[in-house]
Amino acid sequence: MRIGISCYPTYGGSGVVASELALAMASAGDEVHVISYALPPRLAGTGDRVRFHEVEVRAYPLFEYPPYSLALATKMVEVARRHHLDVLHVHYAVPNAVSAILARQILAPQVLPVVTTLHGTDVTLVGTDPSYLATTRFGVLESDAVTAVSEWLRTVTLEQLSIEREISVIPNFVDASRFAATASTTVSTGAHAAGGEAVPVLVHVSNFREIKRPFDVVEVFRQVSLRRPCRLLLVGDGPELQPVEQRLIELGLRSRVDLVGQVDAIEQQLTSADVFLLTSEQESFGLAALEALAAGVPVIASRAGGLPEVVEDGRTGLLYEVGDTAGMAAGVLELLADPERRRRLGDAGREVAFAKYSRERAVERYRQVYLEVIGARPSRARAARPS
């Protein structure tokens, strides 16, 4: 097939999943074209397996805010015409889905089915903002097929957008080959303190936005540090990172924390981890948690959004109510004191990640969606409108 994929070129879950999907499809022999304003990080260094098309947004005195959505639609039209795309798969409702539908209309009579994958904040935050609610609803309803990354997100989408239509759940996934060499969570090698003694390592990965509650991570680390020596590894970047660092300085904990910024090979950062922390107020899926499971690292996380679908409480990790830092700290201490239990949770996490959330399984499901919308043309199965 000739597949177009449009996404945000960020380190967030939607960009990662779109990039991994593009690489998987290309490896299977499909022709894949990625359309965005910058090259997604995980596609860097992959050669010409995936063709990248940059959206250029030009500034004109008339435009106070350059209209990216229109430039995106224009680039979609250009790529679809030139490369005869069979399907356009967009990740995120606004503006990607709306731009894709506009491109589909411009292209007529050439037919271009649009598949939209919802990742979470495009519905739960952006989509419910009065400034974007109508366009988000339009994008979801007008897509030829819609998928969501969790059952929780599917339900929330139908409720918050007040719509009725078919939404297939295709969870996020991991490439097992990337994590095959990571150390299982037996007795982790840990990090080395100043005196040379290995100490346990706690890891948190996020975009450091308020919804991730990174200050809860700091508080959990503080409470654990009072009971036993340990280190904290913070991976990622975002608006809350600098205030978090300042808080660590105030607590006298900065010297025990490593800030590594954004990385592409997250599996390498997890090799020395003992416990993964994810304290989010809301997660539509929790790709960072899934990658930790794939690396054999037990997860301690909030019982929020789609996380309970990913982290099996008591089997692959421990779940707590949002904001329960005392409970999470106690959970960390329990796992650090019981290497055998940590090993069991880590091994179970790898098993679940590779079996239930494999790249091959997800790719096959997306391929089936593509074939269904291609087979349905030119008469598209239109979604039911709100009553």
Side-chain angles (χ1 to χ4, degrees):
M1 287 183 286
R2 294 178 295 272
I3 305 163
I5 292 180
S6 180
C7 65
Y8 283 106
T10 64
Y11 283 87
S14 63
V16 168
V17 169
S19 299
E20 293 288 351
L21 180 61
L23 289 171
M25 289 292 182
S27 297
D30 297 297
E31 183 180 313
V32 182
H33 300 263
V34 172
I35 305 168
S36 189
Y37 58 83
L39 180 68
R42 291 208 179 182
L43 294 182
T46 58
D48 58 358
R49 284 189 291 163
V50 174
R51 306 185 194 184
F52 172 66
H53 305 270
E54 182 178 358
V55 180
E56 297 182 6
V57 183
R58 299 182 180 180
Y60 291 98
L62 180 64
F63 299 144
E64 183 175 358
Y65 304 103
Y68 173 70
S69 58
L70 299 183
L72 176 59
T74 300
K75 180 60 71 170
M76 289 172 169
V77 170
E78 174 189 320
V79 174
R81 280 179 174 161
R82 181 175 300 165
H83 299 283
H84 308 286
L85 296 183
D86 293 306
V87 64
L88 180 58
H89 186 180
V90 297
H91 295 257
Y92 230 71
V94 175
N96 303 63
V98 177
S99 295
I101 291 162
L102 176 58
R104 186 181 68 193
Q105 294 173 338
I106 295 172
L107 282 163
Q110 178 181 339
V111 178
L112 182 65
V114 174
V115 176
T116 295
T117 291
L118 304 173
H119 288 269
T121 51
D122 49 347
V123 173
T124 60
L125 291 181
V126 178
T128 55
D129 186 312
S131 299
Y132 302 105
L133 177 59
T135 50
T136 301
R137 182 187 288 121
F138 172 81
V140 172
L141 283 172
E142 291 295 318
S143 297
D144 295 277
V146 178
T147 71
V149 297
S150 68
E151 290 286 353
W152 177 85
L153 180 58
R154 175 188 176 278
T155 300
V156 167
T157 298
L158 297 176
E159 291 177 350
Q160 294 194 357
L161 298 185
S162 300
I163 61 174
E164 294 181 3
R165 72 153 297 157
E166 180 180 355
I167 297 179
S168 301
V169 176
I170 303 180
N172 289 337
F173 57 91
V174 290
D175 179 359
S177 64
R178 292 180 60 131
F179 294 88
T182 54
S184 180
T185 307
T186 52
V187 179
S188 168
T189 55
H192 289 279
E197 181 182 356
V199 296
V201 176
L202 315 183
V203 178
H204 170 73
V205 179
S206 78
N207 56 14
F208 286 87
R209 299 189 182 278
E210 188 175 349
I211 197 170
K212 303 294 184 178
R213 298 179 68 96
F215 287 96
D216 283 3
V217 174
V218 173
E219 178 57 21
V220 171
F221 177 60
R222 184 192 71 81
Q223 293 185 38
V224 173
S225 297
L226 292 175
R227 299 287 298 275
R228 64 176 299 167
C230 61
R231 293 192 65 82
L232 175 63
L233 182 65
L234 297 178
V235 182
D237 200 356
E240 295 294 304
L241 183 58
Q242 186 174 356
V244 162
E245 183 177 14
Q246 182 59 41
R247 179 58 177 160
L248 289 167
I249 293 172
E250 294 170 358
L251 294 172
L253 296 173
R254 179 63 183 86
S255 62
R256 306 182 197 176
V257 180
D258 297 309
L259 280 64
V260 300
Q262 295 175 332
V263 297
D264 295 330
I266 187 62
E267 64 276 8
Q268 297 177 9
Q269 302 298 322
L270 296 169
T271 55
S272 63
D274 293 275
V275 178
F276 185 89
L277 293 175
L278 193 61
T279 56
S280 305
E281 180 177 325
Q282 189 179 96
E283 285 283 353
S284 298
F285 179 85
L287 180 60
L290 176 60
E291 291 181 326
L293 296 181
V297 183
V299 175
I300 287 186
S302 308
R303 189 178 285 106
L307 273 173
E309 298 176 39
V310 180
V311 181
E312 299 181 31
D313 191 19
R315 185 188 175 200
T316 63
L318 303 175
L319 297 177
Y320 298 86
E321 296 305 313
V322 175
D324 184 9
T325 55
M328 292 182 182
V332 171
L333 289 166
E334 289 176 11
L335 292 183
L336 295 183
D338 191 346
E340 180 57 35
R341 186 185 183 196
R342 202 164 74 244
R343 179 189 295 109
R344 289 198 305 271
L345 267 62
D347 290 345
R350 288 173 73 94
E351 179 182 347
V352 169
F354 294 163
K356 187 176 180 180
Y357 300 104
S358 71
R359 182 179 73 168
E360 293 73 20
R361 183 173 181 174
V363 167
E364 183 55 37
R365 294 185 66 183
Y366 278 121
R367 185 180 295 280
Q368 186 58 42
V369 172
Y370 296 165
L371 292 173
E372 288 174 359
V373 296
I374 291 172
R377 63 187 189 186
S379 58
R380 295 183 298 270
R382 186 60 67 201
R385 299 301 192 273
S387 57

